[in-house]
Amino acid sequence: MSELAPYASHAPTSRGRRYPEPAPVGRSEYQRDRDRIVHCAAFRRLEYKTQVFVNHEGDMFRTRLTHSIEVAQIGRTMARTLGLNEDLVEAIALAHDLGHTPFGHAGQDILNDCMKHYGGFEHNLQSLRVVDELEHRYAEFDGLNLTFETRAGILKHCSLKTARSLGALGQRFIDKHAPSLEAQLTNIADEIAYNNHDVDDGLRAALLTLEQLRDVPLFNTQYELVQERYPKLSQRRTIHEIIRRMINQQVTDLVQTTQATLAQHAIQTSAQVQTQERDMIGFSTEMAAHHLKLKQFLRENLYRHYHVQRMTFKARHIVKSLFDVFMNDSHLLPPEAQHSAALLAQDQGDSGRARAVADYIAGMTDRYAITEYDRIYNPGYVT
Ligand code: MG
């Protein structure tokens, strides 16, 4: 890792882990966080969780795993240029979607509906729950016992009510303070990654067309440049060339704008960043407008495409059916989930039982959820 700027998060001054541990040898605290994340079960399951396209629709589409790796890659590049802590960015990026349900946002939304009377469901908070509670790997503690900074980076947003229950980790939401620069950066790397790779996947799936995308200025500028320079390029290569240039343009804008903002506010330390009410990392006004346009385009033309809507419909049906059946009779849960349901119900009644059911469903991959649905509802299904 290159030299850190004074406003970066520095591993030796970490606010530590919930269960104190001896300092790692040969790697930093944040590298250890990253390593624990890569080795956990929830990380491996990201391979079979939908980003936009359901897993079995094709081998070329992004999954939550490849998405998370792209976020880490874009995040690290920007972190290095800005002198921020790459290891912390990488740890946050690789963990940011660990709590995601099967079937992308459709899964998260319906699970949240199911959990309406039991404290709700939010994938961001669930990612924190995975690394704090749900991974059972280490002898000395539940969860991965990550550093405060990685956990704070995972918790992008939360309600005031939740913030009050989270102790030191929730304090910044009560104070309305910004998170570390590394957390801010990873958040934007996430957006850059999915907005651009969803264009690529949408074109590949033929749900979007090049003609349509020419209405998006960010795309069209690069489209014209590429057409002029490489008029004979195949369509696949043209698309890739446009998208890599779009990412590059957004990354360059973000780095330059952020450097100017940090200088303008005379930011010297990470502590100073975290008493600000506004984020220091962001696009220029012009790029922010372009970026918003791209997001709106994707919402209207890709996420609302009838093909994606059909997937959403099925996902809602599967998740809701599973939730209802397990809430109705927790004896249908496999032993480990049944055990958690009993434990949590002892403590918090129905809300506890619902939480265990939500944990079980959220942990499923797309194909596991489909199979589990079949096992329960299809009388002809033989295990
Ligand atoms: Mg993401």
Side-chain angles (χ1 to χ4, degrees):
M1 194 161 59
S2 49
E3 197 161 324
L4 292 182
Y7 41 69
S9 296
H10 294 251
T13 56
S14 166
R15 292 175 67 179
R17 301 171 190 273
R18 292 206 293 173
Y19 306 95
E21 293 184 63
V25 177
R27 53 184 175 160
S28 76
E29 295 285 0
Y30 303 138
Q31 281 179 287
R32 173 151 74 180
D33 281 358
R34 187 268 324 270
D35 298 349
R36 287 183 177 180
I37 292 158
V38 169
H39 287 286
C40 83
F43 184 73
R44 287 191 293 282
R45 289 198 295 255
L46 293 175
E47 185 176 0
Y48 299 104
K49 289 194 180 200
T50 290
Q51 185 66 30
V52 173
F53 296 91
V54 182
N55 228 240
H56 57 255
E57 290 186 295
D59 292 346
M60 301 295 274
F61 298 120
R62 267 70 176 187
T63 66
R64 289 243 163 242
L65 180 65
T66 59
H67 161 69
S68 300
I69 294 171
E70 288 185 34
V71 176
Q73 176 268 313
I74 292 171
R76 286 193 70 134
T77 301
M78 297 194 292
R80 189 175 302 193
T81 321
L82 288 165
L84 298 179
N85 198 311
E86 279 182 62
D87 296 331
L88 178 55
V89 166
E90 188 178 23
I92 299 169
L94 295 179
H96 86 284
D97 271 350
L98 288 178
H100 234 296
T101 60
F103 311 120
H105 278 275
Q108 125 91 34
D109 292 346
I110 184 67
L111 195 53
N112 187 28
D113 282 356
C114 296
M115 290 291 288
K116 196 164 59 189
H117 302 298
Y118 311 109
F121 179 90
E122 210 275 309
H123 69 88
N124 188 234
L125 211 53
Q126 188 71 5
S127 296
L128 187 67
R129 190 164 160 74
V130 167
V131 301
D132 278 358
E133 313 280 345
L134 299 180
E135 284 286 331
H136 294 161
R137 310 180 64 75
Y138 297 91
E140 306 260 338
F141 42 77
D142 281 350
L144 306 178
N145 198 30
L146 303 180
T147 61
F148 181 92
E149 293 74 23
T150 300
R151 295 170 63 233
I154 292 172
L155 191 65
K156 273 194 290 203
H157 39 76
C158 76
S159 67
L160 265 186
K161 187 166 167 255
T162 308
R164 289 195 192 97
S165 71
L166 288 171
L169 204 63
Q171 195 56 43
R172 85 165 181 88
F173 297 98
I174 297 164
D175 298 339
K176 296 192 165 47
H177 283 169
S180 70
L181 291 175
E182 286 80 1
Q184 295 178 31
L185 185 81
T186 314
N187 201 0
I188 298 200
D190 184 20
E191 289 197 24
I192 295 176
Y194 70 67
N195 284 320
N196 290 284
H197 67 48
D198 286 355
V199 169
D200 190 28
D201 281 354
L203 284 166
R204 189 185 293 278
L207 303 190
L208 300 176
T209 64
L210 282 175
E211 272 315 301
Q212 263 180 319
L213 272 155
R214 295 197 59 188
D215 289 341
V216 179
L218 203 56
F219 186 92
N220 195 46
T221 311
Q222 301 304 337
Y223 175 86
E224 283 176 356
L225 275 169
V226 173
Q227 283 292 329
E228 193 187 300
R229 189 144 174 203
Y230 309 102
K232 295 201 171 80
L233 212 56
S234 73
Q235 193 176 82
R236 197 77 276 238
R237 280 205 208 199
T238 302
I239 292 167
H240 183 254
E241 188 64 33
I242 294 168
I243 291 173
R244 85 171 184 91
R245 283 161 182 262
M246 279 166 62
I247 296 176
N248 204 6
Q249 200 190 352
Q250 289 164 76
V251 165
T252 308
D253 179 275
L254 185 116
V255 167
Q256 285 170 356
T257 309
T258 300
Q259 280 165 335
T261 312
L262 288 168
Q264 188 197 337
H265 288 79
I267 297 293
Q268 301 292 338
T269 65
S270 182
Q272 202 186 340
V273 170
Q274 294 175 66
T275 53
Q276 304 288 319
E277 290 191 0
R278 54 156 291 183
D279 281 3
M280 292 285 125
I281 292 197
F283 293 121
S284 62
T285 317
E286 195 193 356
M287 182 56 80
H290 281 324
H291 198 76
L292 187 64
K293 217 123 197 208
L294 174 60
K295 275 173 97 150
Q296 284 164 342
F297 173 88
L298 286 167
R299 196 174 327 125
E300 282 158 28
N301 297 285
L302 182 62
Y303 311 140
R304 288 191 191 143
H305 193 285
Y306 84 95
H307 182 93
V308 177
Q309 289 299 311
R310 286 180 180 193
M311 189 278 276
T312 300
F313 173 78
K314 274 191 266 194
R316 291 180 68 86
H317 176 67
I318 292 174
V319 169
K320 180 157 184 3
S321 305
L322 289 175
F323 184 85
D324 288 347
V325 81
F326 293 136
M327 269 312 271
N328 226 351
D329 185 356
S330 54
H331 295 101
L332 297 177
L333 287 164
E336 207 182 321
Q338 218 176 106
H339 180 69
S340 310
L343 272 183
L344 286 170
Q346 230 171 45
D347 231 31
Q348 305 157 36
D350 277 353
S351 292
R353 202 151 46 87
R355 185 60 55 196
V357 171
D359 286 341
Y360 178 51
I361 294 174
M364 293 178 185
T365 60
D366 296 357
R367 60 187 189 178
Y368 184 90
I370 293 167
T371 307
E372 190 71 339
Y373 174 87
D374 255 351
R375 283 192 197 111
I376 303 262
Y377 286 100
N378 177 0
Y381 190 90
V382 183
T383 37

